[in-house]
Amino acid sequence: MSLTPSEFERQLQPLLAGWVVDRLPAGWRLSRPGQAVSLSCLGLPVVRAGLLELPRSEVVISFADELPASEAAFVADFLRHFGRGGG
């Protein structure tokens, strides 16, 4: 993702409503009845294109159980919270 880990954490906050959140050294563990999700965010080197510098982070989402409907719902919610309105 094109954001810093601190930007990711700030943007993540609204998504956490309704979850029990455990902060981990490199991420978060989210849980609620019937679902558990782990998120990690690792800062990567900045990408440079001329004068433009873009931050980068590797974000990994892991699901404890293989429940396709729950996974799809979480990913849709995640994308809604992290959408930047690009074209």
Side-chain angles (χ1 to χ4, degrees), residues 2 12 17 20 26-28 35 42 56 59 65 68 71 75 77-78 87:
S2 184
L12 178 66
V20 174
W28 303 261
Q35 191 175 18
L42 174 67
R56 294 187 310 148
V59 175
D65 301 312
E71 292 175 12
V75 169
D77 200 26
F78 180 89

Side-chain angles (χ1 to χ4, degrees), residues 34-84:
Q35 191 175 18
V37 180
S38 295
L39 297 168
S40 66
C41 181
L42 174 67
L44 298 173
V46 170
V47 170
R48 290 179 174 74
L51 295 176
L52 179 65
E53 291 185 354
L54 296 173
R56 294 187 310 148
S57 292
E58 177 184 47
V59 175
V60 177
I61 302 172
S62 303
F63 298 95
D65 301 312
E66 292 187 26
L67 302 170
S70 296
E71 292 175 12
F74 180 85
V75 169
D77 200 26
F78 180 89
L79 293 175
R80 184 173 54 83
H81 280 84
F82 282 89
R84 295 206 173 188

Side-chain angles (χ1 to χ4, degrees), residues 3-47:
L3 49 108
T4 66
S6 60
E7 290 170 331
F8 177 83
E9 184 170 8
R10 185 178 61 248
Q11 208 163 326
L12 178 66
Q13 296 310 304
L15 177 69
L16 301 179
W19 293 90
V20 174
V21 180
D22 295 312
R23 185 67 165 99
L24 305 173
W28 303 261
R29 179 158 173 81
L30 315 179
S31 58
R32 61 183 175 194
Q35 191 175 18
V37 180
S38 295
L39 297 168
S40 66
C41 181
L42 174 67
L44 298 173
V46 170
V47 170

